[in-house]
Amino acid sequence: MMALFGLVNTTSGGIVISLADALRVPAVANAIQLISEAVASLDVTVKRIEGDSEIDVPDHPVLTLLRDEANSFTTGFELIRQIVRDALMDDRGGMAWVNRVNGEPREIIRYRRSVLQYDIDLDTGERFYKIRNKPVAAGDVIHLLPPHERSPLSMAWNAIGVAVALDRHAGNLFARGARPSGALIIQRGMGEDAIKAVRASWREAHEGEDQGRTAFLYDGMTFEPFTFNSTDAQFLENRKFQIQEIGRAFNIPAPMLGDLERATWSNSEQKGREFLSYTLEPWLRGLEGALRRALFTDEERRNHVIRFDRDDLTRADLSTRATVINSLIASRTINPNEGRHWIGLPPREGGDEFANPNISEAKPDQQAGSPDDEDEHATE
Protein backbone atom coordinates (compact mmCIF):
# COMPACT_ATOMS: atom_id res chain seq x y z
CA MET A 1 0.00 0.00 0.00
CA MET A 2 2.83 2.39 0.77
CA ALA A 3 4.36 1.64 -2.63
CA LEU A 4 1.05 2.37 -4.36
CA PHE A 5 0.91 5.81 -2.79
CA GLY A 6 4.55 6.51 -3.67
CA LEU A 7 5.75 6.46 -0.07
CA VAL A 8 8.30 3.69 -0.65
CA ASN A 9 10.00 2.23 -3.71
CA THR A 10 11.66 -1.10 -4.35
CA THR A 11 14.76 -1.08 -6.51
CA SER A 12 15.73 -3.80 -8.97
CA GLY A 13 18.09 -5.16 -6.32
CA GLY A 14 15.22 -5.63 -3.86
CA ILE A 15 16.20 -2.67 -1.67
CA VAL A 16 13.15 -0.92 -0.21
CA ILE A 17 13.73 2.80 0.30
CA SER A 18 11.43 5.71 1.06
CA LEU A 19 11.66 9.32 -0.04
CA ALA A 20 13.17 10.20 3.33
CA ASP A 21 15.85 7.53 2.81
CA ALA A 22 16.66 8.97 -0.62
CA LEU A 23 17.02 12.50 0.75
CA ARG A 24 19.47 11.23 3.38
CA VAL A 25 21.91 10.43 0.58
CA PRO A 26 24.06 13.59 0.45
CA ALA A 27 24.44 13.52 -3.35
CA VAL A 28 20.64 13.39 -3.84
CA ALA A 29 19.90 16.16 -1.35
CA ASN A 30 22.70 18.27 -2.81
CA ALA A 31 21.48 17.81 -6.39
CA ILE A 32 17.89 18.80 -5.57
CA GLN A 33 18.98 21.75 -3.46
CA LEU A 34 21.50 22.89 -6.05
CA ILE A 35 19.04 23.04 -8.96
CA SER A 36 16.03 24.39 -7.06
CA GLU A 37 17.90 27.13 -5.21
CA ALA A 38 19.92 28.14 -8.28
CA VAL A 39 16.67 28.71 -10.21
CA ALA A 40 14.95 30.50 -7.32
CA SER A 41 17.97 32.78 -6.74
CA LEU A 42 17.79 34.30 -10.23
CA ASP A 43 16.11 37.65 -10.69
CA VAL A 44 12.81 37.37 -12.55
CA THR A 45 11.55 40.07 -14.92
CA VAL A 46 8.53 40.74 -17.12
CA LYS A 47 9.26 41.94 -20.65
CA ARG A 48 7.07 43.24 -23.44
CA ILE A 49 7.90 42.11 -26.97
CA GLU A 50 8.17 44.96 -29.46
CA GLY A 51 9.38 43.70 -32.81
CA ASP A 52 12.73 42.00 -32.25
CA SER A 53 13.29 43.66 -28.86
CA GLU A 54 12.15 42.84 -25.32
CA ILE A 55 11.38 45.90 -23.17
CA ASP A 56 11.36 45.67 -19.37
CA VAL A 57 8.01 46.18 -17.63
CA PRO A 58 9.16 46.86 -14.04
CA ASP A 59 5.71 47.81 -12.72
CA HIS A 60 3.81 44.70 -13.84
CA PRO A 61 1.70 43.31 -10.95
CA VAL A 62 2.93 39.74 -11.57
CA LEU A 63 6.39 40.73 -10.35
CA THR A 64 5.01 41.37 -6.87
CA LEU A 65 4.01 37.71 -6.61
CA LEU A 66 7.27 36.35 -8.01
CA ARG A 67 9.72 38.71 -6.31
CA ASP A 68 8.11 39.64 -3.01
CA GLU A 69 5.26 37.54 -1.64
CA ALA A 70 3.41 34.83 -3.51
CA ASN A 71 0.85 34.84 -0.71
CA SER A 72 0.60 35.91 2.92
CA PHE A 73 2.80 33.05 4.13
CA THR A 74 5.15 32.27 1.19
CA THR A 75 7.81 34.41 -0.45
CA GLY A 76 8.45 34.36 -4.17
CA PHE A 77 11.81 32.66 -3.59
CA GLU A 78 10.22 29.87 -1.53
CA LEU A 79 7.46 29.34 -4.09
CA ILE A 80 9.80 28.95 -7.09
CA ARG A 81 12.18 26.75 -5.12
CA GLN A 82 9.32 24.48 -4.06
CA ILE A 83 7.86 24.18 -7.58
CA VAL A 84 11.25 23.16 -9.01
CA ARG A 85 11.89 20.86 -6.05
CA ASP A 86 8.58 19.08 -6.61
CA ALA A 87 9.35 18.65 -10.32
CA LEU A 88 12.69 17.07 -9.41
CA MET A 89 11.14 14.63 -6.93
CA ASP A 90 7.59 13.90 -8.12
CA ASP A 91 6.57 12.30 -11.42
CA ARG A 92 3.56 14.63 -11.53
CA GLY A 93 5.82 17.67 -11.52
CA GLY A 94 5.63 20.91 -9.54
CA MET A 95 2.23 22.60 -9.33
CA ALA A 96 0.72 25.73 -7.78
CA TRP A 97 -2.71 27.34 -8.04
CA VAL A 98 -3.22 30.99 -9.01
CA ASN A 99 -6.02 32.71 -7.09
CA ARG A 100 -7.59 35.38 -9.30
CA VAL A 101 -9.81 38.27 -8.27
CA ASN A 102 -11.67 39.99 -11.11
CA GLY A 103 -9.40 38.18 -13.54
CA GLU A 104 -6.15 39.43 -11.94
CA PRO A 105 -3.77 37.09 -10.05
CA ARG A 106 -3.65 38.02 -6.36
CA GLU A 107 -1.83 35.07 -4.81
CA ILE A 108 -0.15 31.79 -5.71
CA ILE A 109 -0.66 28.77 -3.45
CA ARG A 110 1.26 25.52 -3.59
CA TYR A 111 -0.96 22.71 -2.29
CA ARG A 112 0.09 19.25 -1.18
CA ARG A 113 0.10 16.76 -4.01
CA SER A 114 -2.88 14.94 -2.47
CA VAL A 115 -4.94 18.16 -2.67
CA LEU A 116 -4.01 19.54 -6.11
CA GLN A 117 -4.26 16.72 -8.65
CA TYR A 118 -4.90 16.24 -12.34
CA ASP A 119 -6.16 13.65 -14.80
CA ILE A 120 -4.90 13.13 -18.35
CA ASP A 121 -6.82 12.50 -21.52
CA LEU A 122 -4.96 9.49 -22.89
CA ASP A 123 -5.77 10.43 -26.49
CA THR A 124 -4.77 14.11 -26.52
CA GLY A 125 -2.66 14.45 -23.36
CA GLU A 126 -4.88 17.29 -22.11
CA ARG A 127 -4.70 17.77 -18.34
CA PHE A 128 -7.76 18.36 -16.14
CA TYR A 129 -6.96 19.84 -12.72
CA LYS A 130 -8.92 19.65 -9.49
CA ILE A 131 -8.48 20.85 -5.94
CA ARG A 132 -10.08 18.57 -3.34
CA ASN A 133 -11.87 16.86 -6.25
CA LYS A 134 -13.36 20.17 -7.45
CA PRO A 135 -12.42 21.10 -11.03
CA VAL A 136 -10.31 24.22 -11.57
CA ALA A 137 -9.32 25.93 -14.81
CA ALA A 138 -6.08 24.71 -16.36
CA GLY A 139 -5.12 28.32 -17.01
CA ASP A 140 -5.02 28.93 -13.24
CA VAL A 141 -2.44 26.21 -12.51
CA ILE A 142 1.32 26.63 -12.78
CA HIS A 143 2.60 23.20 -13.81
CA LEU A 144 6.28 22.43 -14.34
CA LEU A 145 6.59 18.97 -15.89
CA PRO A 146 9.73 16.79 -15.53
CA PRO A 147 11.39 15.21 -18.58
CA HIS A 148 10.51 11.67 -19.75
CA GLU A 149 7.21 12.01 -17.80
CA ARG A 150 9.20 10.92 -14.76
CA SER A 151 11.15 12.96 -12.24
CA PRO A 152 14.96 12.68 -12.05
CA LEU A 153 14.56 11.18 -8.57
CA SER A 154 12.42 8.35 -9.94
CA MET A 155 14.87 7.74 -12.77
CA ALA A 156 17.68 7.39 -10.22
CA TRP A 157 15.98 4.98 -7.80
CA ASN A 158 18.34 2.07 -8.56
CA ALA A 159 21.44 4.24 -8.20
CA ILE A 160 20.03 5.73 -5.00
CA GLY A 161 19.23 2.24 -3.72
CA VAL A 162 22.84 1.15 -4.17
CA ALA A 163 24.04 4.34 -2.45
CA VAL A 164 21.68 3.67 0.47
CA ALA A 165 22.90 0.08 0.73
CA LEU A 166 26.53 1.19 0.74
CA ASP A 167 25.77 3.83 3.35
CA ARG A 168 23.99 1.32 5.58
CA HIS A 169 26.86 -1.13 5.19
CA ALA A 170 29.37 1.55 6.15
CA GLY A 171 27.33 2.45 9.22
CA ASN A 172 27.08 -1.16 10.34
CA LEU A 173 30.73 -1.81 9.56
CA PHE A 174 32.00 0.96 11.81
CA ALA A 175 29.26 0.98 14.44
CA ARG A 176 28.61 -2.74 15.03
CA GLY A 177 31.41 -4.57 13.30
CA ALA A 178 29.16 -5.87 10.50
CA ARG A 179 32.05 -7.77 8.97
CA PRO A 180 33.82 -10.12 11.42
CA SER A 181 37.56 -9.64 11.59
CA GLY A 182 38.16 -13.36 11.98
CA ALA A 183 36.99 -16.66 13.47
CA LEU A 184 37.92 -18.73 16.54
CA ILE A 185 38.61 -22.34 15.57
CA ILE A 186 37.79 -24.64 18.47
CA GLN A 187 38.92 -28.24 18.79
CA ARG A 188 36.43 -31.04 19.05
CA GLY A 189 35.26 -32.15 22.42
CA MET A 190 34.43 -28.74 23.89
CA GLY A 191 30.97 -28.66 25.36
CA GLU A 192 28.24 -26.11 24.66
CA ASP A 193 28.65 -24.38 28.01
CA ALA A 194 32.38 -24.02 27.43
CA ILE A 195 31.81 -22.54 23.97
CA LYS A 196 29.37 -19.99 25.40
CA ALA A 197 31.90 -19.04 28.08
CA VAL A 198 34.68 -18.63 25.47
CA ARG A 199 32.43 -16.48 23.25
CA ALA A 200 31.40 -14.25 26.16
CA SER A 201 34.97 -13.75 27.35
CA TRP A 202 36.21 -13.04 23.81
CA ARG A 203 33.56 -10.40 23.20
CA GLU A 204 34.20 -8.81 26.54
CA ALA A 205 37.92 -8.54 25.80
CA HIS A 206 37.93 -7.67 22.10
CA GLU A 207 34.65 -5.96 21.11
CA GLY A 208 33.25 -2.51 21.83
CA GLU A 209 35.44 0.00 23.62
CA ASP A 210 37.81 -2.74 24.82
CA GLN A 211 38.83 -3.94 21.35
CA GLY A 212 42.53 -4.26 20.61
CA ARG A 213 43.60 -6.07 23.79
CA THR A 214 46.06 -8.95 23.74
CA ALA A 215 44.32 -12.22 22.82
CA PHE A 216 44.78 -15.32 25.00
CA LEU A 217 43.82 -18.66 23.42
CA TYR A 218 43.48 -21.93 25.33
CA ASP A 219 42.42 -25.55 24.86
CA GLY A 220 44.02 -25.67 21.42
CA MET A 221 41.97 -22.84 19.89
CA THR A 222 43.30 -20.85 16.94
CA PHE A 223 42.27 -17.51 15.45
CA GLU A 224 41.98 -17.16 11.66
CA PRO A 225 41.62 -13.56 10.37
CA PHE A 226 39.42 -12.82 7.37
CA THR A 227 40.81 -10.93 4.39
CA PHE A 228 38.92 -8.35 2.35
CA ASN A 229 37.88 -9.34 -1.15
CA SER A 230 38.08 -7.07 -4.18
CA THR A 231 34.64 -5.52 -3.56
CA ASP A 232 35.52 -4.64 0.03
CA ALA A 233 38.85 -3.15 -1.02
CA GLN A 234 37.06 -0.91 -3.55
CA PHE A 235 34.33 0.19 -1.17
CA LEU A 236 35.28 3.87 -1.43
CA GLU A 237 35.48 3.64 -5.23
CA ASN A 238 31.98 2.18 -5.30
CA ARG A 239 30.64 5.06 -3.24
CA LYS A 240 32.33 7.62 -5.50
CA PHE A 241 30.85 5.94 -8.55
CA GLN A 242 27.35 6.27 -7.06
CA ILE A 243 27.88 10.03 -6.82
CA GLN A 244 28.58 10.08 -10.54
CA GLU A 245 25.52 7.90 -11.26
CA ILE A 246 23.23 10.20 -9.27
CA GLY A 247 24.80 13.21 -10.97
CA ARG A 248 24.00 11.68 -14.37
CA ALA A 249 20.36 11.19 -13.37
CA PHE A 250 20.03 14.86 -12.42
CA ASN A 251 22.31 15.94 -15.30
CA ILE A 252 24.73 17.64 -12.91
CA PRO A 253 28.56 17.52 -13.31
CA ALA A 254 30.15 15.42 -10.57
CA PRO A 255 32.44 18.27 -9.31
CA MET A 256 29.33 20.27 -8.40
CA LEU A 257 28.25 17.39 -6.13
CA GLY A 258 31.56 17.42 -4.28
CA ASP A 259 33.49 14.86 -6.34
CA LEU A 260 36.64 16.94 -6.88
CA GLU A 261 39.01 14.05 -7.58
CA ARG A 262 39.53 15.03 -11.22
CA ALA A 263 38.58 18.71 -10.95
CA THR A 264 41.00 21.40 -12.10
CA TRP A 265 40.74 25.17 -12.41
CA SER A 266 40.06 24.95 -16.14
CA ASN A 267 37.54 22.13 -16.25
CA SER A 268 35.71 23.42 -13.14
CA GLU A 269 34.92 26.62 -15.01
CA GLN A 270 33.82 24.59 -18.02
CA LYS A 271 31.62 22.39 -15.82
CA GLY A 272 30.02 25.54 -14.41
CA ARG A 273 29.06 26.68 -17.91
CA GLU A 274 27.74 23.21 -18.69
CA PHE A 275 25.64 23.35 -15.51
CA LEU A 276 23.97 26.53 -16.76
CA SER A 277 23.55 25.40 -20.37
CA TYR A 278 22.55 21.77 -19.95
CA THR A 279 21.16 21.52 -16.42
CA LEU A 280 19.46 24.80 -15.53
CA GLU A 281 18.46 26.11 -18.95
CA PRO A 282 15.81 23.41 -19.66
CA TRP A 283 14.26 23.96 -16.22
CA LEU A 284 14.33 27.74 -16.69
CA ARG A 285 12.67 27.50 -20.11
CA GLY A 286 9.99 25.18 -18.76
CA LEU A 287 9.32 27.37 -15.72
CA GLU A 288 9.16 30.55 -17.82
CA GLY A 289 6.54 28.94 -20.04
CA ALA A 290 4.53 27.58 -17.10
CA LEU A 291 4.49 30.97 -15.36
CA ARG A 292 3.59 32.79 -18.57
CA ARG A 293 0.69 30.45 -19.29
CA ALA A 294 -0.85 30.77 -15.82
CA LEU A 295 -0.12 34.38 -14.81
CA PHE A 296 -0.86 36.37 -17.98
CA THR A 297 -4.20 37.03 -19.59
CA ASP A 298 -4.90 35.86 -23.14
CA GLU A 299 -4.12 39.34 -24.44
CA GLU A 300 -0.88 39.66 -22.45
CA ARG A 301 0.41 36.32 -23.63
CA ARG A 302 0.58 37.71 -27.16
CA ASN A 303 3.33 40.20 -26.35
CA HIS A 304 4.54 39.55 -22.77
CA VAL A 305 7.08 37.03 -21.49
CA ILE A 306 8.68 36.12 -18.16
CA ARG A 307 12.46 35.92 -18.10
CA PHE A 308 14.98 34.77 -15.50
CA ASP A 309 18.22 36.75 -15.54
CA ARG A 310 21.01 34.27 -16.35
CA ASP A 311 23.75 36.91 -15.91
CA ASP A 312 23.96 36.18 -12.18
CA LEU A 313 25.24 32.68 -12.97
CA THR A 314 27.78 33.78 -15.57
CA ARG A 315 29.04 36.85 -13.73
CA ALA A 316 32.83 36.97 -13.61
CA ASP A 317 35.05 38.79 -11.11
CA LEU A 318 35.02 42.61 -11.03
CA SER A 319 38.31 43.00 -12.89
CA THR A 320 37.18 40.81 -15.81
CA ARG A 321 33.77 42.47 -15.93
CA ALA A 322 35.35 45.94 -15.98
CA THR A 323 37.61 44.95 -18.87
CA VAL A 324 34.72 43.51 -20.89
CA ILE A 325 32.42 46.49 -20.23
CA ASN A 326 35.17 48.96 -21.19
CA SER A 327 35.79 47.02 -24.42
CA LEU A 328 32.08 47.03 -25.30
CA ILE A 329 31.80 50.77 -24.64
CA ALA A 330 34.93 51.50 -26.67
CA SER A 331 33.52 49.53 -29.62
CA ARG A 332 30.23 51.46 -29.28
CA THR A 333 28.31 48.23 -28.68
CA ILE A 334 26.80 49.61 -25.46
CA ASN A 335 26.76 53.06 -23.93
CA PRO A 336 28.25 53.97 -20.52
CA ASN A 337 24.89 53.97 -18.76
CA GLU A 338 24.21 50.43 -19.92
CA GLY A 339 27.59 49.38 -18.58
CA ARG A 340 26.86 51.12 -15.25
CA HIS A 341 23.57 49.25 -15.06
CA TRP A 342 25.42 45.92 -15.35
CA ILE A 343 27.42 46.65 -12.21
CA GLY A 344 24.49 48.12 -10.27
CA LEU A 345 25.28 51.82 -10.63
CA PRO A 346 22.72 54.55 -11.47
CA PRO A 347 22.87 56.33 -14.86
CA ARG A 348 24.75 59.61 -15.21
CA GLU A 349 24.17 62.64 -17.37
CA GLY A 350 25.50 62.20 -20.89
CA GLY A 351 25.97 58.45 -20.40
CA ASP A 352 23.48 57.49 -23.12
CA GLU A 353 25.82 58.63 -25.89
CA PHE A 354 27.60 55.92 -27.88
CA ALA A 355 31.17 57.23 -27.88
CA ASN A 356 34.65 55.81 -27.40
CA PRO A 357 36.09 57.31 -24.19
CA ASN A 358 39.60 56.16 -25.15
CA ILE A 359 39.74 58.56 -28.11
CA SER A 360 40.00 62.31 -27.36
CA GLU A 361 38.79 64.24 -30.35
CA ALA A 362 40.61 67.54 -31.02
CA LYS A 363 38.63 70.77 -30.73
CA PRO A 364 38.01 72.87 -33.90
CA ASP A 365 40.44 75.65 -32.88
CA GLN A 366 43.16 73.07 -32.19
CA GLN A 367 42.60 71.40 -35.59
CA ALA A 368 42.82 74.67 -37.57
CA GLY A 369 45.66 76.06 -35.52
CA SER A 370 45.75 79.47 -33.78
CA PRO A 371 47.46 82.65 -35.11
CA ASP A 372 50.06 82.43 -32.39
CA ASP A 373 51.06 78.98 -33.64
CA GLU A 374 51.46 80.35 -37.20
CA ASP A 375 53.73 83.19 -35.94
CA GLU A 376 55.86 80.71 -34.03
CA HIS A 377 56.28 78.54 -37.13
CA ALA A 378 57.20 81.64 -39.21
CA THR A 379 59.84 82.69 -36.69
CA GLU A 380 61.36 79.24 -36.78
Side-chain angles (χ1 to χ4, degrees):
M1 290 296 295
M2 297 179 68
L4 289 176
F5 287 98
L7 300 178
V8 297
N9 288 271
T10 304
T11 66
S12 59
I15 303 173
V16 180
I17 56 177
S18 63
L19 179 60
D21 293 330
L23 292 178
R24 291 191 186 99
V25 178
V28 177
N30 190 14
I32 295 175
Q33 180 180 359
L34 186 64
I35 297 176
S36 60
E37 292 189 349
V39 173
S41 298
L42 298 180
D43 186 29
V44 60
T45 59
V46 173
K47 295 180 180 291
R48 183 177 62 254
I49 301 176
E50 295 184 1
D52 296 333
S53 303
E54 295 183 355
I55 309 301
D56 282 333
V57 186
D59 56 348
H60 199 283
V62 168
L63 290 178
T64 303
L65 300 176
L66 299 179
R67 286 180 175 178
D68 300 328
E69 292 185 354
N71 50 59
S72 59
F73 51 89
T74 308
T75 65
F77 174 86
E78 294 171 342
L79 174 72
I80 294 176
R81 179 178 61 180
Q82 191 62 58
I83 291 176
V84 178
R85 183 175 180 269
D86 290 342
L88 291 167
M89 299 170 55
D90 194 342
D91 292 343
R92 289 169 290 188
M95 294 184 289
W97 176 67
V98 180
N99 184 17
R100 298 181 184 274
V101 179
N102 296 327
E104 297 182 359
R106 296 297 178 84
E107 63 178 354
I108 306 174
I109 300 177
R110 179 244 173 203
Y111 287 98
R112 295 194 310 270
R113 63 180 184 176
S114 60
V115 176
L116 177 56
Q117 299 177 337
Y118 69 94
D119 298 321
I120 298 180
D121 188 319
L122 298 180
D123 295 329
T124 63
E126 182 180 0
R127 296 185 295 272
F128 303 93
Y129 299 91
K130 53 187 178 181
I131 296 179
R132 298 188 181 93
N133 293 325
K134 295 182 179 180
V136 295
D140 293 337
V141 177
I142 300 170
H143 194 180
L144 178 61
L145 289 169
H148 308 298
E149 298 182 351
R150 296 188 61 187
S151 66
L153 186 68
S154 297
M155 300 291 288
W157 271 123
N158 286 332
I160 295 173
V162 175
V164 170
L166 290 172
D167 187 65
R168 291 174 180 174
H169 178 72
N172 292 330
L173 180 64
F174 291 102
R176 303 174 185 173
R179 180 183 180 87
S181 58
L184 286 174
I185 301 177
I186 304 174
Q187 300 294 331
R188 293 182 180 181
M190 183 174 289
E192 182 178 356
D193 294 337
I195 293 177
K196 290 181 179 180
V198 170
R199 181 177 61 185
S201 62
W202 182 271
R203 287 181 173 177
E204 181 180 358
H206 302 289
E207 293 183 7
E209 297 180 356
D210 295 330
Q211 59 182 335
R213 292 184 177 183
T214 303
F216 292 94
L217 303 177
Y218 52 91
D219 289 342
M221 292 189 305
T222 59
F223 177 76
E224 182 177 344
F226 291 159
T227 59
F228 287 100
N229 55 35
S230 59
T231 302
D232 295 323
Q234 295 180 355
F235 180 74
L236 292 178
E237 285 75 9
N238 291 333
R239 301 200 70 182
K240 291 179 181 178
F241 180 75
Q242 290 312 119
I243 295 177
Q244 299 174 9
E245 284 286 273
I246 294 172
R248 293 186 187 100
F250 286 91
N251 200 21
I252 296 179
M256 303 200 71
L257 294 179
D259 185 6
L260 305 178
E261 183 176 4
R262 298 183 179 180
T264 63
W265 288 108
S266 58
N267 66 13
S268 295
E269 184 178 358
Q270 178 65 27
K271 293 299 182 182
R273 290 194 293 265
E274 292 178 1
F275 175 71
L276 172 61
S277 300
Y278 304 120
T279 305
L280 290 187
E281 187 64 26
W283 292 106
L284 290 174
R285 291 292 183 92
L287 186 58
E288 288 172 347
L291 294 174
R292 180 172 179 263
R293 183 182 62 84
L295 295 177
F296 289 153
T297 62
D298 294 339
E299 183 178 355
E300 287 179 326
R301 280 198 294 269
R302 298 175 182 174
N303 57 359
H304 283 73
V305 293
I306 292 178
R307 293 283 185 257
F308 287 91
D309 188 5
R310 278 80 161 168
D311 291 341
D312 291 342
L313 295 175
T314 58
R315 183 170 295 177
D317 59 272
L318 183 59
S319 176
T320 304
R321 291 164 59 198
T323 303
V324 172
I325 292 174
N326 181 67
S327 176
L328 293 175
I329 294 176
S331 63
R332 295 182 174 89
T333 304
I334 64 174
N335 59 48
N337 279 344
E338 291 174 329
R340 292 171 64 87
H341 175 72
W342 286 2
I343 57 178
L345 296 177
R348 61 176 176 82
E349 185 178 357
D352 294 328
E353 180 182 359
F354 289 85
N356 187 350
N358 300 323
I359 299 177
S360 58
E361 298 181 358
K363 297 181 180 180
D365 56 346
Q366 293 178 344
Q367 293 177 353
S370 62
D372 295 336
D373 294 337
E374 295 179 358
D375 294 339
E376 291 177 1
H377 288 298
T379 302
E380 294 176 359

